[in-house]
Amino acid sequence: MSLFNAYMSLSGATDADVRRDERLAHHTTYRIGGPAGLFVTVHSYAALLKVVSVLAEERVEWVILGKGSNVLAADAGYDGCVIVLDDEFSRIQVGEGGLVTAGAGALLSRVVNEALKAELSGLESCVGIPGTVGGAVSMDAGTRREWIGQRVRDVVTLRPGEGLHRYEASEIEWGYRCTSIPTSEIVLEATFQLERGKKQAIAEDMEARLRRRRSSQPMGRPCCGSVFRNPPERSAGILIESCGLKGATAGGAQISEEHANFIVNTGRASAADVVSLMGRAHDAVRDRFDIDLACEVKLLGFGA
């Protein structure tokens, strides 16, 4: 693997910004994380093809990063290349028949707002969810009863070394915080099938959902959303709270006092602090309830 050769090959590349040792704390909602070996922002499909081709030639590991809203980056950083999709991948188009097409780099909040302006209903459950369309589709974001995959008509991905591939929604297995889209593929855009509605009713529904989120989650504080997936018919937050861990701390990290399935950065937390609390919560729930909580957070730079 040669990060240096990849850096030299990509420096000055058209439609791409290439940096070395970019701190991931600047690109995750946790505000935690050491440097990435390479950090490349691509602005076009041609630039993305160039980047993944060079990385393959130099055998450099890579990962796509949206807004880092579901990522915990290691304190030591990531010894590979972080790719961010921008510009050409951030477009949103409202079409006929309730169709909305959005690039993987588009903020999910923007898509929700564009649907509201067009008086289209169906994405209300996504209000208040941070991150990009690519991340939301890849993890089938949503609530316990509603998820974004229910509104997807099709998804376009890039298969490195092969080219573009279009999936019909029915070809994808949509699961709880996961899909069958291979992790080796890069989600480029998704088209959503929405329904006509009344703007006021849609707005009121969104505002009610936001109020519920604000009242029960630590919105506005550095975190990455739910830490563990909810077990069948159970709440991870309630299980952790039942173990007396609400408000527990490790260094600068704290299990949220608003919702025990959130771990917040109080201002000086390290990734090690967060991992310590994750382990403490997991083990406490396993020991008391014999339930093995599955991590929902994506860990970056922690090795195999």
Side-chain angles (χ1 to χ4, degrees):
M1 180 177 81
S2 177
L3 280 167
F4 179 76
N5 287 347
Y7 174 71
M8 294 303 293
S9 296
L10 294 173
S11 294
T14 304
D15 292 335
D17 301 320
V18 186
R19 284 170 279 179
R20 295 199 67 181
D21 299 325
E22 177 74 7
R23 289 192 61 80
L24 292 170
H26 300 152
H27 302 279
T28 63
T29 55
Y30 250 136
R31 302 292 182 260
I32 293 172
L38 284 180
F39 191 93
V40 181
T41 303
V42 294
H43 304 287
S44 68
Y45 174 66
L48 178 60
L49 285 178
K50 169 75 171 177
V51 168
V52 295
S53 175
V54 168
L55 296 177
E57 290 173 7
E58 298 298 333
R59 297 183 181 179
V60 174
E61 182 181 316
W62 56 265
V63 65
I64 299 293
L65 184 70
K67 291 301 177 182
S69 58
N70 192 42
V71 174
L72 176 64
D75 297 315
Y78 173 62
D79 189 24
C81 180
V82 171
I83 303 172
V84 173
L85 307 179
D86 201 359
D87 289 348
E88 192 172 294
F89 302 100
S90 300
R91 296 173 181 168
I92 302 172
Q93 180 179 1
V94 179
E96 298 295 326
L99 296 179
V100 176
T101 299
L107 289 174
L108 185 58
S109 59
R110 282 189 57 221
V111 180
V112 170
N113 286 334
E114 288 299 318
L116 172 62
K117 288 195 291 185
E119 299 188 69
L120 295 174
S121 176
L123 292 179
E124 291 86 337
S125 64
C126 294
V127 68
I129 296 178
T132 60
V133 168
V137 169
S138 296
M139 69 173 291
D140 198 12
T143 66
R144 184 187 287 267
R145 297 177 180 81
E146 300 170 278
W147 51 93
I148 200 168
Q150 294 171 313
R151 290 297 176 174
V152 170
R153 190 189 74 166
D154 56 65
V155 177
V156 177
T157 70
L158 171 64
R159 291 177 172 175
E162 296 182 30
L164 298 178
H165 181 77
R166 182 182 299 274
Y167 290 95
E168 296 297 325
S170 60
E171 298 178 275
I172 300 171
E173 292 180 19
W174 303 93
Y176 177 47
R177 299 296 183 269
C178 65
T179 73
S180 62
I181 300 173
T183 56
S184 59
E185 298 183 21
I186 302 172
V187 174
L188 300 181
E189 70 173 33
T191 297
F192 305 98
Q193 178 66 70
L194 307 181
E195 302 164 354
R196 285 289 169 191
K198 294 185 178 180
K199 190 172 185 178
Q200 182 176 347
I202 297 170
E204 289 175 353
D205 186 5
M206 288 182 179
E207 184 55 40
R209 291 170 186 266
L210 276 175
R211 283 196 301 270
R212 287 196 294 271
R213 285 184 185 275
R214 293 190 186 110
S215 67
S216 63
Q217 299 177 7
M219 296 184 73
R221 302 189 69 185
C223 68
C224 72
S226 298
V227 174
F228 298 103
R229 298 178 184 177
N230 289 317
E233 307 304 322
R234 304 294 293 270
S235 163
I238 291 176
L239 291 171
I240 296 168
E241 182 178 353
S242 298
C243 294
L245 290 178
K246 217 174 191 182
T249 62
Q254 180 187 48
I255 293 180
S256 172
E257 295 179 330
E258 288 90 358
H259 194 309
N261 197 25
F262 285 68
I263 296 176
V264 299
N265 177 359
T266 63
R268 52 186 177 84
S270 66
D273 294 337
V274 176
V275 169
S276 175
L277 283 181
M278 289 170 62
R280 187 175 171 188
H282 173 275
D283 292 350
V285 170
R286 180 196 59 198
D287 294 344
R288 180 169 180 181
F289 299 101
D290 195 27
I291 293 176
D292 185 15
L293 292 178
C295 184
E296 189 170 314
V297 181
K298 294 183 178 179
L299 303 178
L300 179 60
F302 288 84

